[in-house]
Amino acid sequence: MKIEMKQKRILVILLFLCYFLLLTPYVVHTTLSEVDAGIVDDLKTVSVLSLPADIQDVAAFNDECAVLLVADSISGVKKVIITQKSPHSLGVSKGDVVEVTDKIIDWYVDWHAYQFFDKKFNALIVGDVGEIGTIESGIEKLLSARLGNTVFSVSKLIFAFAPLLLILYISYSFRKRFYLWNILAILALYSFEVFILTMVGGMHHIAMAGIWKYFGYLFVVLIPFTFFFSRYEESEAGQKRIKGYYEKITELIALSFKK
């Protein structure tokens, strides 16, 4: 019996490790898409005077600038980014992952009117460009591989449903029933997911909406309260009190139907 319980605990630990690991692709890509990050498909240095007049009007660059063709690792949608630094000074080459750090313009354009690479793209951005950290860059490159879309879809499903499924599995596996503390534990995990999104977004200067930001910090209170409430709910006194609440609720429902 003890061996079986130990095996269950090890399994739960492994499930949580897999859960946090599989969250990463969705969190990273969702965050980076907010800053127009992508993989450099092509790049070149051009004279500022060779740029279309409408771009010259807003891009107060020096003699030369860099033009990058950047592709989203999941959708494959491509954007052209024009920045005043040369590819050499940026330290960027094909296959690198970059983000837009300071955006001047972001236009949806007809790519035929801007023949930079003779390749289709959906938007044109003028602004500063920066490289992505090693871990995030590695994840984006993984997502651009053949099975990248599958990995991202699995990660998205994990983000949406894993807190619910994990807690219900743990409760049923150890106690063969569901408890009220399950609801608190599920909320705590969803709160932690939002917290991770907020933290990663903060690294890229993305501000989370106020209500979601506060919800993300709620796990700090929910986790210890979940442990406290679970012990109380499974105690004899807790069972009696909760049973009493259930009976009162049942009576109120019955009375409302009689009316």
Side-chain angles (χ1 to χ4, degrees):
M1 190 69 177
K2 289 184 178 180
I3 295 175
E4 184 181 350
M5 187 64 67
K6 186 177 180 180
Q7 290 174 340
K8 286 183 178 179
R9 288 174 179 171
I10 292 172
L11 178 59
V12 168
I13 292 171
L14 290 175
L15 285 174
F16 269 98
L17 289 175
C18 290
Y19 164 56
F20 293 127
L21 182 65
L22 289 172
L23 272 181
T24 309
Y26 176 77
V27 170
V28 168
H29 182 75
T30 300
T31 301
L32 293 181
S33 63
E34 292 291 320
V35 289
D36 297 292
I39 298 174
V40 178
D41 183 76
D42 207 346
L43 73 166
K44 62 182 177 181
T45 303
V46 301
S47 168
V48 173
L49 295 176
S50 68
L51 296 173
D54 53 351
I55 297 177
Q56 290 188 45
D57 290 340
V58 293
F61 296 157
N62 296 322
D63 297 334
E64 292 184 335
C65 61
V67 182
L68 292 75
L69 184 65
V70 175
D72 184 280
S73 58
I74 293 298
S75 67
V77 172
K78 295 180 180 179
K79 300 178 181 180
V80 162
I81 302 173
I82 301 175
T83 182
Q84 61 181 333
K85 294 181 180 180
S86 67
H88 177 72
S89 62
L90 283 171
V92 173
S93 57
K94 286 185 180 181
D96 289 341
V97 183
V98 296
E99 65 174 330
V100 179
T101 56
D102 187 14
K103 192 182 297 182
I104 299 172
I105 63 169
D106 186 354
W107 295 339
Y108 286 97
V109 297
D110 179 2
W111 68 277
H112 295 94
Y114 299 89
Q115 293 287 346
F116 293 111
F117 298 100
D118 198 26
K119 296 178 182 178
K120 182 179 179 181
F121 60 91
N122 296 73
L124 189 149
I125 297 171
V126 176
D128 291 335
V129 172
E131 283 192 88
I132 302 296
T134 305
I135 295 176
E136 291 177 311
S137 178
I139 291 170
E140 283 296 294
K141 289 178 181 179
L142 171 67
L143 293 178
S144 68
R146 189 175 64 176
L147 296 177
N149 276 282
T150 302
V151 172
F152 181 75
S153 296
V154 170
S155 182
K156 188 175 182 179
L157 289 171
I158 292 294
F159 185 89
F161 299 110
L164 175 66
L165 297 177
L166 267 176
I167 298 303
L168 293 183
Y169 168 77
I170 291 170
S171 181
Y172 189 77
S173 178
F174 285 92
R175 297 290 185 268
K176 302 300 181 183
R177 55 165 289 190
F178 306 124
Y179 290 87
L180 291 176
W181 67 259
N182 295 166
I183 299 171
L184 294 174
I186 291 166
L187 287 174
L189 282 184
Y190 278 120
S191 173
F192 186 67
E193 288 185 347
V194 175
F195 174 76
I196 294 173
L197 266 177
T198 303
M199 293 297 292
V200 177
M203 293 165 54
H204 299 277
H205 309 290
I206 300 171
M208 181 73 73
I211 188 170
W212 286 109
K213 183 178 180 180
Y214 295 132
F215 178 69
Y217 290 114
L218 196 60
F219 81 95
V220 177
V221 177
L222 285 173
I223 289 177
F225 190 70
T226 298
F227 282 105
F228 170 78
F229 189 71
S230 66
R231 289 190 175 185
Y232 175 76
E233 186 180 3
E234 294 177 29
S235 67
E236 186 177 347
Q239 288 289 327
K240 286 182 179 178
R241 181 163 291 185
I242 291 170
K243 186 178 179 180
Y245 287 144
Y246 279 142
E247 289 175 353
K248 289 179 181 178
I249 292 171
T250 304
E251 288 176 6
L252 289 172
I253 294 172
L255 287 172
S256 64
F257 275 110
K258 284 182 181 179
K259 291 180 181 180

